[in-house]
Every structure is written in structure tokens, then in C-alpha cells.
Amino acid sequence: MFIMLGVRKARAVKTGKVNRHQAALDNRVWPEEVVKVSNNIANQFEAPVLFYVLCLVTYSINAAGTVAIALAWLFALSRYAHAYVHVGSNYVPLRLRLFLFGCVVLLVMLILVAWNLATGVVDPY
């Protein structure tokens, strides 16, 4: 996303769609194609942070089995799909469904971690 943001910003400046000096002081002057990517990058610091924590906890308690790995892949793929829609068509109903799907996967991951901790299925080594 950062590479795409750089490419889109450079293209906007090069084609004259934005004034560099105005953009340095006001992000609202960027064209929609740049704003989409910028907003998507901001989204990557929301729900995915919980995902990172859950992955670290899952690994640290030695609970990274097939189900946990499958859930992690499902979440990662949902984020790629969400990003694709977000920076492309930005069709909000589809984007929302993809976001909610990822949130449900995170919830199932959280329940799995809690279950492993509650039942003592934790290998300290």
C-alpha cells in the first residue's frame, strides 16, 4: 500500500492534479485515488493490530495448530480483499462485508486463544 500511495501521489503531482505546496499543508487537496490508499493504510493500524497480538499469544502458548493457522490465513486474505476493494471501486457494502468477515474471524481466533488458556492447553516449552 505504501508503494501504491507513493506511485499515486507522484502521478497526481506529475499530471498537475494537485499542487505540491498545498498538499504539504492540507491532505484534503489530494485526488480521490490517493485518499483511498491513504485511508486504507490507516485501516491497517486498527483491527490488524489485534490480529498481531493474537498471533503472538497463539504462538507463545504453543497453540498454533491447523485451526489457528487456517483462521490466520482467512483473516489475512480478508484484509487483502478489503484493501483491493478499498483502493479500487470502494464499493462500501462489499467493503463492509469483507471487514465484518475479518472481524468474525478475529473473534473466533480470540475465542480459540481464550479456550486454550482456560483449559490449560498451554505448553510452556
Side-chain angles (χ1 to χ4, degrees):
M1 284 298 129
F2 283 107
I3 293 170
M4 183 182 289
L5 180 63
V7 168
R8 288 189 179 184
K9 280 186 171 186
R11 188 178 334 143
V13 171
K14 189 175 184 179
T15 59
K17 290 182 179 177
V18 70
N19 180 305
R20 243 189 315 210
H21 300 291
Q22 287 178 330
L25 299 174
D26 186 2
N27 283 329
R28 294 175 296 176
V29 301
W30 289 105
E32 182 181 312
E33 63 197 24
V34 173
V35 174
K36 286 179 185 178
V37 178
S38 182
N39 289 346
N40 185 262
I41 289 171
N43 285 164
Q44 298 309 322
F45 294 98
E46 295 166 356
V49 174
L50 177 59
F51 170 72
Y52 304 142
V53 170
L54 286 171
C55 285
L56 289 172
V57 171
T58 300
Y59 178 76
S60 69
I61 65 173
N62 201 23
T66 305
V67 174
I69 292 171
L71 289 168
W73 273 107
L74 275 175
F75 180 76
L77 291 172
S78 78
R79 293 308 301 167
Y80 276 105
H82 180 270
Y84 178 78
V85 172
H86 199 175
V87 301
S89 68
N90 199 27
Y91 183 62
V92 175
L94 177 57
R95 205 176 95 204
L96 176 62
R97 284 193 293 274
L98 291 167
F99 175 78
L100 290 176
F101 177 76
C103 286
V104 168
V105 171
L106 276 181
L107 182 61
V108 173
M109 287 179 72
L110 181 62
I111 291 168
L112 182 64
V113 166
W115 177 262
N116 283 318
L117 289 170
T119 59
V121 186
V122 177
D123 185 3
Y125 303 104

